[in-house]
Amino acid sequence: DAGNMVELVEQGIDLSRKLAKGLYPVEMAADGLMLALEEYAATASELFKVACRFECDSPVLIHDPATAGHLYRIAQEAVGNAIKHGNARNILIRLEVGEEGTVLSIKDDGAGLPEPLPQKRGMGLRIMAHRSTMIGGAFNVRRDETGGTLVTCELRAEPRSEKLRRE
C-alpha cells in the first residue's frame, strides 16, 4: 500500500508541474512555440487518453513572444474543444511556413461542427478569433471534408520590401 501511495504522490507532483507549465508554456526563444506545442501534444495524449500529435516539417521560428503565446493558446483551445465537444480520438496540431505565411492548424476526427453553425458561437471560438486578430492573423474554423473539425490561424508573411525597410 505504501508503494502504491508513493506512486500516486509522484504522479500528482508530475501533473502539478505540467499544469504549472501550462500557465506560461512558451519559452522566449524563437523556437519556443514548436517545443511548447510538441510538449502540449504529448501531455494532452497522456492526460486525455487521445492520440494527439504535433507535426512541423521544417523549423518555424516565431520571434515575438506574444504572437507565440497567442498561437499556443489557440491550439490549446482547439484541442480542448475537440476533446470536450467533438469527442475526438485523433488530433493533429500542425505548424508550417509557406509562401503566404505561417499557418497553425488543428484537425480532429471528432463529431465536427453542427450544421448549420449556431449564430451565437461559443466563447472559445470567439476568443480564438480574437487572439488571431490581435496578432494580425486570419482565423477559420470549419467542418473538415473527411469529418471532424479544422481550425486554422494564418499569419501573412511580410512583403520583402517591408522587411528590408525595417533592417
Side-chain angles (χ1 to χ4, degrees):
D1 285 344
N4 194 15
M5 187 178 278
V6 168
E7 184 178 330
L8 289 173
V9 168
E10 288 174 348
Q11 288 175 359
I13 291 169
D14 186 49
L15 181 59
S16 296
R17 283 191 178 121
K18 288 177 180 177
L19 290 172
K21 174 86 171 146
L23 296 174
Y24 193 76
V26 181
E27 296 297 324
M28 296 301 244
D31 65 348
L33 179 61
M34 292 184 307
L35 300 173
L37 289 174
E38 185 173 38
E39 186 173 325
Y40 178 70
T43 300
S45 291
E46 183 182 332
L47 290 176
F48 301 110
K49 307 300 183 225
V50 297
C52 184
R53 69 183 202 279
F54 173 67
E55 288 183 359
C56 187
D57 295 335
S58 61
V60 177
L61 304 179
I62 305 291
H63 297 282
D64 178 36
T67 298
H70 285 298
L71 289 171
Y72 179 88
R73 295 295 183 198
I74 289 169
Q76 190 177 42
E77 181 67 26
V79 169
N81 284 348
I83 294 167
K84 286 185 278 190
H85 304 299
N87 297 313
R89 303 301 306 149
N90 296 284
I91 303 165
L92 173 63
I93 304 168
R94 185 157 178 72
L95 187 63
E96 58 191 327
V97 175
E99 289 185 22
E100 298 295 316
T102 301
V103 179
L104 169 68
S105 62
I106 302 89
K107 182 186 175 342
D108 69 69
D109 68 350
L113 295 169
E115 287 192 26
L117 194 61
Q119 294 288 45
K120 190 174 181 182
R121 291 183 174 193
M123 183 63 78
L125 289 176
R126 289 191 303 238
I127 290 172
M128 287 189 286
H130 179 71
R131 286 182 179 281
S132 180
T133 300
M134 288 178 61
I135 57 176
F139 178 76
N140 187 27
V141 60
R142 64 178 171 83
R143 181 180 283 270
D144 193 59
E145 308 86 43
T146 61
T149 302
L150 177 63
V151 174
T152 60
C153 178
E154 183 176 346
L155 300 175
R156 302 264 187 245
E158 285 185 35
R160 183 100 175 112
S161 59
E162 286 296 317
K163 286 182 184 176
L164 292 175
R165 265 189 245 147
R166 286 193 301 157
E167 293 172 1

PDB file of all heavy atoms in Angstrom, residues 9-39:
ATOM      1  N   VAL A   9       1.471   9.850  -5.285  1.00  0.00           N
ATOM      2  CA  VAL A   9       2.015  11.170  -4.934  1.00  0.00           C
ATOM      3  C   VAL A   9       2.948  11.664  -6.035  1.00  0.00           C
ATOM      4  O   VAL A   9       2.882  12.831  -6.447  1.00  0.00           O
ATOM      5  CB  VAL A   9       2.742  11.132  -3.565  1.00  0.00           C
ATOM      6  CG1 VAL A   9       3.548  12.403  -3.331  1.00  0.00           C
ATOM      7  CG2 VAL A   9       1.741  10.923  -2.439  1.00  0.00           C
ATOM      8  N   GLU A  10       3.796  10.794  -6.551  1.00  0.00           N
ATOM      9  CA  GLU A  10       4.700  11.177  -7.633  1.00  0.00           C
ATOM     10  C   GLU A  10       3.931  11.561  -8.890  1.00  0.00           C
ATOM     11  O   GLU A  10       4.288  12.517  -9.579  1.00  0.00           O
ATOM     12  CB  GLU A  10       5.694  10.044  -7.928  1.00  0.00           C
ATOM     13  CG  GLU A  10       6.740   9.893  -6.847  1.00  0.00           C
ATOM     14  CD  GLU A  10       7.639   8.683  -7.036  1.00  0.00           C
ATOM     15  OE1 GLU A  10       7.344   7.813  -7.880  1.00  0.00           O
ATOM     16  OE2 GLU A  10       8.659   8.614  -6.316  1.00  0.00           O
ATOM     17  N   GLN A  11       2.862  10.836  -9.187  1.00  0.00           N
ATOM     18  CA  GLN A  11       2.016  11.194 -10.329  1.00  0.00           C
ATOM     19  C   GLN A  11       1.369  12.561 -10.115  1.00  0.00           C
ATOM     20  O   GLN A  11       1.256  13.364 -11.044  1.00  0.00           O
ATOM     21  CB  GLN A  11       0.934  10.138 -10.564  1.00  0.00           C
ATOM     22  CG  GLN A  11       1.440   8.847 -11.137  1.00  0.00           C
ATOM     23  CD  GLN A  11       0.341   7.799 -11.247  1.00  0.00           C
ATOM     24  OE1 GLN A  11      -0.810   8.023 -10.874  1.00  0.00           O
ATOM     25  NE2 GLN A  11       0.709   6.616 -11.747  1.00  0.00           N
ATOM     26  N   GLY A  12       0.937  12.826  -8.884  1.00  0.00           N
ATOM     27  CA  GLY A  12       0.344  14.124  -8.548  1.00  0.00           C
ATOM     28  C   GLY A  12       1.341  15.258  -8.706  1.00  0.00           C
ATOM     29  O   GLY A  12       1.004  16.341  -9.218  1.00  0.00           O
ATOM     30  N   ILE A  13       2.573  15.035  -8.302  1.00  0.00           N
ATOM     31  CA  ILE A  13       3.630  16.043  -8.454  1.00  0.00           C
ATOM     32  C   ILE A  13       3.906  16.298  -9.926  1.00  0.00           C
ATOM     33  O   ILE A  13       4.008  17.453 -10.358  1.00  0.00           O
ATOM     34  CB  ILE A  13       4.916  15.597  -7.711  1.00  0.00           C
ATOM     35  CG1 ILE A  13       4.692  15.634  -6.201  1.00  0.00           C
ATOM     36  CG2 ILE A  13       6.107  16.479  -8.117  1.00  0.00           C
ATOM     37  CD1 ILE A  13       5.797  14.971  -5.393  1.00  0.00           C
ATOM     38  N   ASP A  14       3.989  15.239 -10.710  1.00  0.00           N
ATOM     39  CA  ASP A  14       4.227  15.374 -12.145  1.00  0.00           C
ATOM     40  C   ASP A  14       3.091  16.141 -12.816  1.00  0.00           C
ATOM     41  O   ASP A  14       3.325  17.042 -13.622  1.00  0.00           O
ATOM     42  CB  ASP A  14       4.392  13.989 -12.781  1.00  0.00           C
ATOM     43  CG  ASP A  14       4.788  14.072 -14.245  1.00  0.00           C
ATOM     44  OD1 ASP A  14       5.728  14.826 -14.562  1.00  0.00           O
ATOM     45  OD2 ASP A  14       4.160  13.370 -15.067  1.00  0.00           O
ATOM     46  N   LEU A  15       1.851  15.827 -12.471  1.00  0.00           N
ATOM     47  CA  LEU A  15       0.693  16.523 -13.032  1.00  0.00           C
ATOM     48  C   LEU A  15       0.702  17.999 -12.631  1.00  0.00           C
ATOM     49  O   LEU A  15       0.424  18.873 -13.452  1.00  0.00           O
ATOM     50  CB  LEU A  15      -0.601  15.842 -12.576  1.00  0.00           C
ATOM     51  CG  LEU A  15      -1.898  16.442 -13.093  1.00  0.00           C
ATOM     52  CD1 LEU A  15      -1.930  16.431 -14.621  1.00  0.00           C
ATOM     53  CD2 LEU A  15      -3.089  15.679 -12.538  1.00  0.00           C
ATOM     54  N   SER A  16       1.061  18.295 -11.377  1.00  0.00           N
ATOM     55  CA  SER A  16       1.140  19.684 -10.915  1.00  0.00           C
ATOM     56  C   SER A  16       2.173  20.480 -11.707  1.00  0.00           C
ATOM     57  O   SER A  16       1.941  21.630 -12.076  1.00  0.00           O
ATOM     58  CB  SER A  16       1.492  19.741  -9.428  1.00  0.00           C
ATOM     59  OG  SER A  16       0.465  19.166  -8.672  1.00  0.00           O
ATOM     60  N   ARG A  17       3.311  19.859 -11.974  1.00  0.00           N
ATOM     61  CA  ARG A  17       4.342  20.524 -12.773  1.00  0.00           C
ATOM     62  C   ARG A  17       3.833  20.820 -14.182  1.00  0.00           C
ATOM     63  O   ARG A  17       4.064  21.882 -14.732  1.00  0.00           O
ATOM     64  CB  ARG A  17       5.593  19.661 -12.858  1.00  0.00           C
ATOM     65  CG  ARG A  17       6.418  19.691 -11.612  1.00  0.00           C
ATOM     66  CD  ARG A  17       7.782  19.033 -11.841  1.00  0.00           C
ATOM     67  NE  ARG A  17       8.551  19.119 -10.634  1.00  0.00           N
ATOM     68  CZ  ARG A  17       9.033  18.083  -9.971  1.00  0.00           C
ATOM     69  NH1 ARG A  17       8.838  16.866 -10.427  1.00  0.00           N
ATOM     70  NH2 ARG A  17       9.713  18.246  -8.864  1.00  0.00           N
ATOM     71  N   LYS A  18       3.149  19.843 -14.784  1.00  0.00           N
ATOM     72  CA  LYS A  18       2.606  20.039 -16.131  1.00  0.00           C
ATOM     73  C   LYS A  18       1.559  21.145 -16.148  1.00  0.00           C
ATOM     74  O   LYS A  18       1.510  21.950 -17.074  1.00  0.00           O
ATOM     75  CB  LYS A  18       2.029  18.733 -16.673  1.00  0.00           C
ATOM     76  CG  LYS A  18       3.104  17.730 -17.028  1.00  0.00           C
ATOM     77  CD  LYS A  18       2.533  16.420 -17.496  1.00  0.00           C
ATOM     78  CE  LYS A  18       3.656  15.454 -17.831  1.00  0.00           C
ATOM     79  NZ  LYS A  18       3.188  14.143 -18.217  1.00  0.00           N
ATOM     80  N   LEU A  19       0.719  21.191 -15.134  1.00  0.00           N
ATOM     81  CA  LEU A  19      -0.290  22.247 -15.061  1.00  0.00           C
ATOM     82  C   LEU A  19       0.364  23.611 -14.873  1.00  0.00           C
ATOM     83  O   LEU A  19      -0.038  24.602 -15.490  1.00  0.00           O
ATOM     84  CB  LEU A  19      -1.278  21.976 -13.920  1.00  0.00           C
ATOM     85  CG  LEU A  19      -2.229  20.813 -14.130  1.00  0.00           C
ATOM     86  CD1 LEU A  19      -3.017  20.528 -12.862  1.00  0.00           C
ATOM     87  CD2 LEU A  19      -3.164  21.078 -15.290  1.00  0.00           C
ATOM     88  N   ALA A  20       1.383  23.697 -14.030  1.00  0.00           N
ATOM     89  CA  ALA A  20       2.090  24.955 -13.821  1.00  0.00           C
ATOM     90  C   ALA A  20       2.780  25.404 -15.103  1.00  0.00           C
ATOM     91  O   ALA A  20       2.769  26.593 -15.444  1.00  0.00           O
ATOM     92  CB  ALA A  20       3.109  24.813 -12.688  1.00  0.00           C
ATOM     93  N   LYS A  21       3.338  24.481 -15.833  1.00  0.00           N
ATOM     94  CA  LYS A  21       3.986  24.789 -17.106  1.00  0.00           C
ATOM     95  C   LYS A  21       2.968  25.389 -18.075  1.00  0.00           C
ATOM     96  O   LYS A  21       3.290  26.265 -18.875  1.00  0.00           O
ATOM     97  CB  LYS A  21       4.611  23.519 -17.690  1.00  0.00           C
ATOM     98  CG  LYS A  21       5.182  23.660 -19.069  1.00  0.00           C
ATOM     99  CD  LYS A  21       6.585  24.149 -19.047  1.00  0.00           C
ATOM    100  CE  LYS A  21       7.167  24.049 -20.456  1.00  0.00           C
ATOM    101  NZ  LYS A  21       8.082  25.101 -20.729  1.00  0.00           N
ATOM    102  N   GLY A  22       1.727  24.951 -17.979  1.00  0.00           N
ATOM    103  CA  GLY A  22       0.665  25.457 -18.838  1.00  0.00           C
ATOM    104  C   GLY A  22       0.338  26.922 -18.617  1.00  0.00           C
ATOM    105  O   GLY A  22      -0.223  27.587 -19.479  1.00  0.00           O
ATOM    106  N   LEU A  23       0.712  27.462 -17.465  1.00  0.00           N
ATOM    107  CA  LEU A  23       0.453  28.878 -17.202  1.00  0.00           C
ATOM    108  C   LEU A  23       1.343  29.782 -18.035  1.00  0.00           C
ATOM    109  O   LEU A  23       0.952  30.882 -18.423  1.00  0.00           O
ATOM    110  CB  LEU A  23       0.645  29.190 -15.709  1.00  0.00           C
ATOM    111  CG  LEU A  23      -0.324  28.499 -14.771  1.00  0.00           C
ATOM    112  CD1 LEU A  23       0.067  28.774 -13.321  1.00  0.00           C
ATOM    113  CD2 LEU A  23      -1.745  28.922 -15.056  1.00  0.00           C
ATOM    114  N   TYR A  24       2.549  29.340 -18.309  1.00  0.00           N
ATOM    115  CA  TYR A  24       3.462  30.102 -19.165  1.00  0.00           C
ATOM    116  C   TYR A  24       4.237  29.107 -20.003  1.00  0.00           C
ATOM    117  O   TYR A  24       5.398  28.806 -19.752  1.00  0.00           O
ATOM    118  CB  TYR A  24       4.412  30.970 -18.332  1.00  0.00           C
ATOM    119  CG  TYR A  24       5.132  31.972 -19.195  1.00  0.00           C
ATOM    120  CD1 TYR A  24       4.465  33.092 -19.656  1.00  0.00           C
ATOM    121  CD2 TYR A  24       6.438  31.782 -19.590  1.00  0.00           C
ATOM    122  CE1 TYR A  24       5.106  34.001 -20.473  1.00  0.00           C
ATOM    123  CE2 TYR A  24       7.088  32.682 -20.400  1.00  0.00           C
ATOM    124  CZ  TYR A  24       6.417  33.800 -20.833  1.00  0.00           C
ATOM    125  OH  TYR A  24       7.040  34.699 -21.648  1.00  0.00           O
ATOM    126  N   PRO A  25       3.586  28.585 -21.055  1.00  0.00           N
ATOM    127  CA  PRO A  25       4.132  27.434 -21.766  1.00  0.00           C
ATOM    128  C   PRO A  25       5.205  27.728 -22.803  1.00  0.00           C
ATOM    129  O   PRO A  25       5.978  26.856 -23.155  1.00  0.00           O
ATOM    130  CB  PRO A  25       2.901  26.857 -22.458  1.00  0.00           C
ATOM    131  CG  PRO A  25       2.039  28.054 -22.691  1.00  0.00           C
ATOM    132  CD  PRO A  25       2.264  28.948 -21.513  1.00  0.00           C
ATOM    133  N   VAL A  26       5.261  28.942 -23.340  1.00  0.00           N
ATOM    134  CA  VAL A  26       6.148  29.216 -24.469  1.00  0.00           C
ATOM    135  C   VAL A  26       7.387  29.956 -23.993  1.00  0.00           C
ATOM    136  O   VAL A  26       7.309  31.037 -23.427  1.00  0.00           O
ATOM    137  CB  VAL A  26       5.426  30.041 -25.562  1.00  0.00           C
ATOM    138  CG1 VAL A  26       6.345  30.301 -26.741  1.00  0.00           C
ATOM    139  CG2 VAL A  26       4.164  29.326 -26.016  1.00  0.00           C
ATOM    140  N   GLU A  27       8.544  29.332 -24.221  1.00  0.00           N
ATOM    141  CA  GLU A  27       9.809  29.957 -23.863  1.00  0.00           C
ATOM    142  C   GLU A  27      10.072  31.151 -24.774  1.00  0.00           C
ATOM    143  O   GLU A  27       9.539  31.237 -25.870  1.00  0.00           O
ATOM    144  CB  GLU A  27      10.950  28.940 -23.991  1.00  0.00           C
ATOM    145  CG  GLU A  27      10.829  27.770 -23.038  1.00  0.00           C
ATOM    146  CD  GLU A  27      10.907  28.159 -21.580  1.00  0.00           C
ATOM    147  OE1 GLU A  27      11.672  29.075 -21.233  1.00  0.00           O
ATOM    148  OE2 GLU A  27      10.193  27.547 -20.786  1.00  0.00           O
ATOM    149  N   MET A  28      10.930  32.054 -24.351  1.00  0.00           N
ATOM    150  CA  MET A  28      11.205  33.277 -25.084  1.00  0.00           C
ATOM    151  C   MET A  28      12.007  33.055 -26.365  1.00  0.00           C
ATOM    152  O   MET A  28      12.034  33.916 -27.212  1.00  0.00           O
ATOM    153  CB  MET A  28      11.951  34.266 -24.193  1.00  0.00           C
ATOM    154  CG  MET A  28      11.136  34.712 -23.000  1.00  0.00           C
ATOM    155  SD  MET A  28       9.616  35.478 -23.506  1.00  0.00           S
ATOM    156  CE  MET A  28       9.852  37.108 -22.900  1.00  0.00           C
ATOM    157  N   ALA A  29      12.622  31.911 -26.540  1.00  0.00           N
ATOM    158  CA  ALA A  29      13.415  31.653 -27.742  1.00  0.00           C
ATOM    159  C   ALA A  29      12.500  31.539 -28.958  1.00  0.00           C
ATOM    160  O   ALA A  29      11.321  31.200 -28.844  1.00  0.00           O
ATOM    161  CB  ALA A  29      14.216  30.367 -27.572  1.00  0.00           C
ATOM    162  N   ALA A  30      13.041  31.805 -30.137  1.00  0.00           N
ATOM    163  CA  ALA A  30      12.260  31.787 -31.373  1.00  0.00           C
ATOM    164  C   ALA A  30      11.665  30.407 -31.668  1.00  0.00           C
ATOM    165  O   ALA A  30      10.614  30.301 -32.286  1.00  0.00           O
ATOM    166  CB  ALA A  30      13.112  32.255 -32.554  1.00  0.00           C
ATOM    167  N   ASP A  31      12.314  29.347 -31.204  1.00  0.00           N
ATOM    168  CA  ASP A  31      11.786  28.003 -31.432  1.00  0.00           C
ATOM    169  C   ASP A  31      10.887  27.537 -30.283  1.00  0.00           C
ATOM    170  O   ASP A  31      10.455  26.392 -30.256  1.00  0.00           O
ATOM    171  CB  ASP A  31      12.918  27.002 -31.659  1.00  0.00           C
ATOM    172  CG  ASP A  31      13.802  26.814 -30.439  1.00  0.00           C
ATOM    173  OD1 ASP A  31      13.697  27.612 -29.473  1.00  0.00           O
ATOM    174  OD2 ASP A  31      14.619  25.882 -30.446  1.00  0.00           O
ATOM    175  N   GLY A  32      10.570  28.435 -29.380  1.00  0.00           N
ATOM    176  CA  GLY A  32       9.775  28.089 -28.202  1.00  0.00           C
ATOM    177  C   GLY A  32       8.394  27.554 -28.527  1.00  0.00           C
ATOM    178  O   GLY A  32       7.900  26.644 -27.856  1.00  0.00           O
ATOM    179  N   LEU A  33       7.741  28.099 -29.564  1.00  0.00           N
ATOM    180  CA  LEU A  33       6.401  27.635 -29.904  1.00  0.00           C
ATOM    181  C   LEU A  33       6.432  26.182 -30.369  1.00  0.00           C
ATOM    182  O   LEU A  33       5.588  25.377 -29.951  1.00  0.00           O
ATOM    183  CB  LEU A  33       5.760  28.524 -30.973  1.00  0.00           C
ATOM    184  CG  LEU A  33       4.358  28.099 -31.420  1.00  0.00           C
ATOM    185  CD1 LEU A  33       3.382  28.115 -30.251  1.00  0.00           C
ATOM    186  CD2 LEU A  33       3.872  28.986 -32.545  1.00  0.00           C
ATOM    187  N   MET A  34       7.382  25.840 -31.201  1.00  0.00           N
ATOM    188  CA  MET A  34       7.472  24.455 -31.675  1.00  0.00           C
ATOM    189  C   MET A  34       7.647  23.500 -30.495  1.00  0.00           C
ATOM    190  O   MET A  34       6.973  22.464 -30.419  1.00  0.00           O
ATOM    191  CB  MET A  34       8.651  24.288 -32.646  1.00  0.00           C
ATOM    192  CG  MET A  34       8.492  24.983 -33.959  1.00  0.00           C
ATOM    193  SD  MET A  34       9.856  24.660 -35.100  1.00  0.00           S
ATOM    194  CE  MET A  34      11.297  25.091 -34.135  1.00  0.00           C
ATOM    195  N   LEU A  35       8.543  23.844 -29.604  1.00  0.00           N
ATOM    196  CA  LEU A  35       8.804  22.982 -28.446  1.00  0.00           C
ATOM    197  C   LEU A  35       7.587  22.885 -27.540  1.00  0.00           C
ATOM    198  O   LEU A  35       7.244  21.802 -27.059  1.00  0.00           O
ATOM    199  CB  LEU A  35      10.009  23.504 -27.674  1.00  0.00           C
ATOM    200  CG  LEU A  35      11.325  23.566 -28.454  1.00  0.00           C
ATOM    201  CD1 LEU A  35      12.406  24.262 -27.635  1.00  0.00           C
ATOM    202  CD2 LEU A  35      11.758  22.177 -28.874  1.00  0.00           C
ATOM    203  N   ALA A  36       6.905  24.016 -27.322  1.00  0.00           N
ATOM    204  CA  ALA A  36       5.732  24.029 -26.448  1.00  0.00           C
ATOM    205  C   ALA A  36       4.587  23.213 -27.046  1.00  0.00           C
ATOM    206  O   ALA A  36       3.904  22.474 -26.326  1.00  0.00           O
ATOM    207  CB  ALA A  36       5.288  25.461 -26.193  1.00  0.00           C
ATOM    208  N   LEU A  37       4.359  23.331 -28.356  1.00  0.00           N
ATOM    209  CA  LEU A  37       3.284  22.567 -28.995  1.00  0.00           C
ATOM    210  C   LEU A  37       3.581  21.074 -28.992  1.00  0.00           C
ATOM    211  O   LEU A  37       2.679  20.251 -28.796  1.00  0.00           O
ATOM    212  CB  LEU A  37       3.045  23.062 -30.420  1.00  0.00           C
ATOM    213  CG  LEU A  37       2.385  24.431 -30.537  1.00  0.00           C
ATOM    214  CD1 LEU A  37       2.343  24.880 -31.993  1.00  0.00           C
ATOM    215  CD2 LEU A  37       0.996  24.435 -29.912  1.00  0.00           C
ATOM    216  N   GLU A  38       4.840  20.725 -29.182  1.00  0.00           N
ATOM    217  CA  GLU A  38       5.227  19.314 -29.127  1.00  0.00           C
ATOM    218  C   GLU A  38       4.959  18.735 -27.738  1.00  0.00           C
ATOM    219  O   GLU A  38       4.398  17.646 -27.589  1.00  0.00           O
ATOM    220  CB  GLU A  38       6.698  19.168 -29.505  1.00  0.00           C
ATOM    221  CG  GLU A  38       7.163  17.743 -29.586  1.00  0.00           C
ATOM    222  CD  GLU A  38       8.578  17.636 -30.138  1.00  0.00           C
ATOM    223  OE1 GLU A  38       9.440  18.489 -29.810  1.00  0.00           O
ATOM    224  OE2 GLU A  38       8.815  16.688 -30.896  1.00  0.00           O
ATOM    225  N   GLU A  39       5.343  19.487 -26.718  1.00  0.00           N
ATOM    226  CA  GLU A  39       5.125  19.037 -25.347  1.00  0.00           C
ATOM    227  C   GLU A  39       3.634  18.989 -25.017  1.00  0.00           C
ATOM    228  O   GLU A  39       3.155  18.064 -24.362  1.00  0.00           O
ATOM    229  CB  GLU A  39       5.856  19.961 -24.367  1.00  0.00           C
ATOM    230  CG  GLU A  39       5.786  19.476 -22.944  1.00  0.00           C
ATOM    231  CD  GLU A  39       6.655  20.296 -22.009  1.00  0.00           C
ATOM    232  OE1 GLU A  39       7.737  20.744 -22.413  1.00  0.00           O
ATOM    233  OE2 GLU A  39       6.221  20.480 -20.850  1.00  0.00           O
TER     234      GLU A  39
END
